[in-house]
Amino acid sequence: MTISLMPAGAEMVGPTPKSVLSVGAILGEGPIWVARDAALWFVDIKGHCVHRFDPALNVARSWTTPGQVGWIVPTADGMFAVGLQSGIHRFDPASASFRLLHAPEAHLPGNRLNDATVAPDGALWFGSMDDAEKADSGHIYRLHQGTCVNVGLPPVSITNGPALSPDGRTLYHTDTLGRHIWRTTLDADGAIGETSLFTTIEDGAGYPDGPTVDAEGCLWTGLFGGWAVRRYDPAGTLIREIRFPVANITKIAFGGDDLSVAYATTARKGLDMTALTEQPLAGDLFAFDPGVAGLPGHVATI
């Protein structure tokens, strides 16, 4: 088992993240760079909102969603899929319309969808969680060309990720309350193989939130309540930590023409008035130079 203590030689001093969009998100999440739009999309789960940020023009637009929204990904038909509490919906920004496609957990009304990624083959991998953050009712699913399956990983209260290695053969998935990040091998057809512990976040460092993998195969994770994002090499060794002026960092995404800008979503959730006064930028979208490029995104064929 790997414990995430900062090793000798790991970089503690890094770039200073800057707020690039003030949205005051209650629970900002799911940032994703969509190349066809040259824009970053992300959600505010508790604010029931989808946001689009165009950094070249420095403009943003928002859409209200019919319920809690955990993630947004582009689809092969030029539209988007969003993970609402009621299931996966097709989202058309032009008409601001939502149409239900799949309801994988209609039998679990206390659950909601929480995070997602798209594989090189167009498969959508996503997780669910107990909205009350108590029961171990969160599962990992794979949706591809109309077929949605629970992949059979052990349930946890709050799933985060999944994220995929550059070759698409390793699936990283997070048990947030347990502070564990796991890795599971994948066959070429997406069938799961052996699961092992990738790393554990130590007490006092926050909770691992959304994971993202860069072009060098290293994994980044936001730390909810930890004031930082961290980067781990493929062996699970902590090699970098970047500190933020806000406590709750949820996830990063690589964007820009060369995918060399890191965008980070943050959250106001759980902060009292004193904390909010001390963290006026909580809930904003941040950007920083990660010193490495990200992986090209994919469109979902669902």
Side-chain angles (χ1 to χ4, degrees):
M1 180 175 72
T2 302
I3 300 295
S4 303
L5 298 175
M6 184 65 72
E11 183 179 351
M12 285 292 290
V13 179
T16 301
K18 302 293 186 182
S19 171
V20 294
L21 183 65
S22 179
V23 290
I26 302 171
L27 186 52
E29 258 290 7
I32 183 170
W33 181 259
V34 179
R36 69 190 185 201
D37 300 334
L40 186 89
W41 292 76
F42 63 103
V43 304
D44 181 352
I45 297 174
K46 297 297 183 180
H48 299 190
C49 196
V50 167
H51 297 287
R52 178 188 187 273
F53 174 60
D54 181 335
L57 298 177
N58 195 32
V59 296
R61 184 180 175 188
S62 302
W63 291 260
T64 299
T65 60
Q68 297 187 90
V69 54
W71 46 262
I72 180 169
V73 299
T75 53
D77 63 357
M79 297 298 161
F80 291 86
V82 295
L84 297 176
Q85 183 159 9
S86 56
I88 299 170
H89 288 65
R90 180 182 184 271
F91 168 52
D92 179 358
S95 62
S97 62
F98 297 83
R99 176 170 60 86
L100 181 65
L101 300 175
H102 296 276
E105 293 190 339
H107 61 297
L108 295 172
N111 269 19
R112 64 173 175 83
L113 304 187
N114 193 48
D115 201 1
T117 194
V118 180
D121 64 358
L124 173 66
W125 291 81
F126 64 97
S128 65
M129 62 169 281
D130 175 25
D131 193 41
E133 303 180 9
K134 295 179 180 179
D136 288 340
S137 57
H139 297 271
I140 301 293
Y141 295 86
R142 181 178 185 266
L143 171 61
H144 192 215
Q145 298 180 343
T147 299
C148 185
V149 297
N150 181 331
V151 301
L153 292 168
V156 298
S157 178
I158 302 177
T159 67
N160 260 295
L164 289 160
S165 60
D167 64 4
R169 300 302 291 269
T170 300
L171 185 78
Y172 297 98
H173 45 103
T174 298
D175 170 6
T176 292
L177 292 187
R179 295 195 176 97
H180 302 309
I181 302 175
W182 301 88
R183 59 184 162 203
T184 298
T185 59
L186 298 179
D187 294 337
D189 62 358
I192 66 170
E194 180 182 357
T195 294
S196 60
L197 185 62
F198 178 70
T199 195
T200 296
I201 305 300
E202 72 275 13
D203 289 349
Y207 293 86
D209 210 309
T212 305
V213 176
D214 64 32
E216 296 179 355
C218 295
L219 182 140
W220 297 71
T221 184
L223 294 177
F224 199 95
W227 302 80
V229 297
R230 285 181 172 182
R231 184 183 188 224
Y232 294 84
D233 71 15
T237 301
L238 177 59
I239 54 177
R240 195 173 193 193
E241 181 175 284
I242 296 173
R243 305 295 294 178
F244 278 68
V246 296
N248 300 329
I249 298 84
T250 53
K251 190 172 183 177
I252 75 163
F254 294 90
D257 292 340
D258 55 2
L259 300 177
S260 64
V261 178
Y263 292 96
T265 47
T266 66
R268 298 164 64 90
K269 180 178 181 287
L271 301 180
D272 60 20
M273 291 305 299
T274 298
L276 289 172
T277 299
E278 294 170 348
Q279 301 174 46
L281 302 180
D284 284 5
L285 178 70
F286 286 78
F288 64 92
D289 179 2
V292 65
L295 293 168
H298 305 284
V299 297
T301 53
I302 62 175

